[in-house]
């Protein structure tokens, strides 16, 4: 599969020509360059399908511990908000993560990353947000960077200091935001640990005004922003993301049409997270029809995290997006390649198979691309190449 005039389309029989870590030709086999420009080594994929490497553009992959007990509580009827009010949720993971060493974080997080890699993922976003103090947030981002060095995968790091109010500052969200914007964010950015900045705009987290303070500092530091927006209620998070030209607005279950129009004008990608929708047994779906109507690009991601989406399968996320949100096969495939790259600001290097882009792609044992969305619990990956290797 390669980029075509109409979006992501099929080329068969097709060919890819790679030099170093870049694609120099992608198209019909009959249109391959003349013999003098052909490669020294040729690999026959024997009719298999090739797609861009998959991109998981929203994860909280680095943390310690789990929240299986809270899962049981929800099965007995407790809501996300009720669990958070009792000290559970994000703060539960915070307690485990603050006491974990870097080695422990790597040991717990690496299997989650390996599960994604095994399904053809070649780039992944990893957020901080389970430390909520400078030392632990630094350790989380350093761990994410180290995971990228340990495996052949591109790791995009996101600072999510505005995830929740830490227990030592309970009831004083404004003072905590002061620490985020005056201390944590500038320090971590100066250390080269931050690729983008995120926030959780919600009644149980931070108001639009508080998130706006974070985004203003991010802009001054020349960092792009993203936002957990309108997941549990409509606080105007999507509109806030649009005002700040965010790379993405994520979740969006409660976004209204005016918010969707604002995202379209801003060129912001909507990242849909069906794993959290499923795991929390939500009933309010994101407004996919409105996103289509206004031409907002839609990405799909796992939202891999310990409390609301303990999911490490991007293939399953595609199936969930199709079955729960009624996304089409083409929308799902674009959502984990082209649009996911756009949600991370990486569309110039990744997301489609075309000359000039990095040679990140996946080779599949399938007869039709729809199989990548259709199957449940089945991995048809034949091989995965990252930067031509």
């Amino acid at each position: 599969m390669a980029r075509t005039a109409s979006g992501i389309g099929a080329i068969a029989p097709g060919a890819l020509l790679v030099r170093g870590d870049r694609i120099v030709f992608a198209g019909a086999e009959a249109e391959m360059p003349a013999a003098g420009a052909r490669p020294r080594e040729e690999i026959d994929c024997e009719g298999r399908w090739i797609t861009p490497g998959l991109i998981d553009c929203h994860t909280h992959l680095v943390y310690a511990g789990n929240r299986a007990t809270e899962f049981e509580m929800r099965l007995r009827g407790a809501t996300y908000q009720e669990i958070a009010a009792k000290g559970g949720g994000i703060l539960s993971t915070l307690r485990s993560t603050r006491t974990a060493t870097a080695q422990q974080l790597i040991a717990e997080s690496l299997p989650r990353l390996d599960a994604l890699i095994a399904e053809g993922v070649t780039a992944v976003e990893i957020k901080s947000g389970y430390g909520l103090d400078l030392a632990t947030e630094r350790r989380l981002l350093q761990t994410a960077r180290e995971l990228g060095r340990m495996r052949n995968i591109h790791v995009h790091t996101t600072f999510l200091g505005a995830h929740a109010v830490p227990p030592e500052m309970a009831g004083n969200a404004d003072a905590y935001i002061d620490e985020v914007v005056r201390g944590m964010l500038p320090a971590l950015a100066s250390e080269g640990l931050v690729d983008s900045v995120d926030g959780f705009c919600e009644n149980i987290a931070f108001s639009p005004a508080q998130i706006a303070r974070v985004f203003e500092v991010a802009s001054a530091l020349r960092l792009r922003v993203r936002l957990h927006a309108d997941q549990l209620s409509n606080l105007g998070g999507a509109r806030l993301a649009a005002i700040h030209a965010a790379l993405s607005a994520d979740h969006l279950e409660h976004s209204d049409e005016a918010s969707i129009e604002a995202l379209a004008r801003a060129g912001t990608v909507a990242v849909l997270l069906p794993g959290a929708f499923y795991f929390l047994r939500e009933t309010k779906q994101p407004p996919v029809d409105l996103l289509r109507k206004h031409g907002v690009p839609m990405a799909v991601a796992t939202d891999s995290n310990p409390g609301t989406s303990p999911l490490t399968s991007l293939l399953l996320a595609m199936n969930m997006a199709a079955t729960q949100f009624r996304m089409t096969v083409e929308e799902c495939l674009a959502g984990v390649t082209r649009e996911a790259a756009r949600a991370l600001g990486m569309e110039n290097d990744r997301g489609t198979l075309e000359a000039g882009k990095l040679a990140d792609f996946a080779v599949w044992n399938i007869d039709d691309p729809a199989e990548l969305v259709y199957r449940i619990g089945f991995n048809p990956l034949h091989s995965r190449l990252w930067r031509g290797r």
Side-chain angles (χ1 to χ4, degrees):
M1 299 180 70
R3 185 177 183 129
T4 65
S6 61
I8 288 186
I11 298 174
L16 288 169
L17 179 59
V18 174
R19 288 202 185 95
D21 63 357
R22 297 277 171 174
I23 298 170
V24 296
F25 171 82
E29 187 175 7
E31 298 173 5
M32 275 279 284
R38 295 179 77 90
R40 289 190 297 271
E41 179 184 5
E42 294 190 17
I43 300 173
D44 184 0
C45 290
E46 299 176 332
R48 294 181 175 89
W49 284 89
I50 301 174
T51 68
L54 306 189
I55 299 170
D56 196 349
C57 65
H58 182 130
T59 86
H60 306 251
L61 206 69
V62 177
Y63 58 86
N66 67 71
R67 305 222 296 263
T69 300
E70 293 178 14
F71 173 65
E72 288 188 286
M73 291 171 65
R74 278 199 298 275
L75 292 178
R76 292 194 294 268
T79 66
Y80 183 89
Q81 294 91 328
E82 288 168 346
I83 291 170
K86 293 178 181 179
I90 293 166
L91 298 185
S92 173
T93 298
L94 176 146
R95 291 189 288 271
S96 299
T97 302
R98 280 185 174 179
T99 59
T101 65
Q103 291 74 22
Q104 289 172 320
L105 287 172
I106 288 172
E108 290 198 39
S109 304
L110 197 57
R112 296 189 279 265
L113 181 63
D114 284 341
L116 293 173
I117 290 171
E119 289 190 348
V121 173
T122 55
V124 61
E125 184 256 16
I126 300 178
K127 304 177 192 295
S128 67
Y130 290 127
L132 309 185
D133 60 35
L134 178 57
T136 314
E137 290 291 296
R138 177 184 287 119
R139 188 159 65 250
L140 291 170
L141 293 168
Q142 289 172 335
T143 299
R145 291 278 198 235
E146 181 61 23
L147 292 175
R149 288 187 285 268
M150 295 175 71
R151 294 291 188 268
N152 287 336
I153 191 167
H154 176 81
V155 172
H156 176 107
T157 55
T158 298
F159 172 64
L160 182 56
H163 198 194
V165 179
E168 63 271 17
M169 301 188 75
N172 205 347
D174 284 328
Y176 175 65
I177 292 295
D178 285 344
E179 289 200 5
V180 170
V181 300
R182 295 175 184 171
M184 281 191 264
L185 177 51
L188 297 171
S190 70
E191 295 167 22
L193 292 173
V194 181
D195 295 326
S196 62
V197 176
D198 199 347
F200 188 17
C201 186
E202 194 55 70
N203 284 314
I204 61 172
F206 299 100
S207 70
Q210 289 163 339
I211 295 294
R213 292 183 60 201
V214 178
F215 284 1
E216 287 161 7
V217 173
S219 177
L221 294 169
R222 298 183 181 277
L223 293 169
R224 298 294 301 275
V225 300
R226 321 180 63 212
L227 187 62
H228 288 63
D230 302 343
Q231 178 186 10
L232 306 173
S233 62
N234 187 350
L235 285 189
R239 290 192 294 276
L240 178 67
I243 289 169
H244 290 272
L247 286 168
S248 71
D250 304 31
H251 287 292
L252 301 179
E253 280 87 339
H254 290 266
S255 296
D256 55 29
E257 186 160 12
S259 300
I260 300 305
E261 290 176 316
L263 293 178
R265 290 192 297 270
T268 298
V269 177
V271 178
L272 305 185
L273 304 168
F277 180 89
Y278 164 83
F279 200 72
L280 293 174
R281 297 190 291 181
E282 295 287 357
T283 57
K284 177 75 171 174
Q285 297 183 359
V288 170
D289 286 340
L290 289 177
L291 293 168
R292 289 181 183 131
K293 174 183 174 182
H294 295 287
V296 178
M298 292 183 287
V300 175
T302 63
D303 192 14
S304 183
N305 76 75
T308 62
S309 186
L311 174 64
T312 52
S313 171
L314 197 51
L315 295 177
L316 181 54
M318 280 198 288
N319 178 273
M320 288 179 168
T323 56
Q324 293 181 142
F325 301 159
R326 301 296 187 263
M327 291 178 69
T328 68
V329 166
E330 183 172 327
E331 286 171 339
C332 290
L333 292 172
V336 299
T337 53
R338 183 184 68 211
E339 309 308 348
R342 189 177 298 175
L344 296 178
M346 302 191 306
E347 65 271 25
N348 291 333
D349 282 327
R350 294 175 174 86
T352 58
L353 299 178
E354 56 184 317
K357 294 201 174 181
L358 288 166
D360 292 359
F361 46 88
V363 184
W364 305 96
N365 288 314
I366 56 175
D367 294 320
D368 188 284
E371 292 181 50
L372 296 177
V373 181
Y374 149 77
R375 291 186 183 274
I376 302 174
F378 180 80
N379 182 4
L381 185 72
H382 175 265
S383 57
R384 168 189 173 277
L385 284 85
W386 181 75
R387 296 191 176 183
R389 303 197 300 273

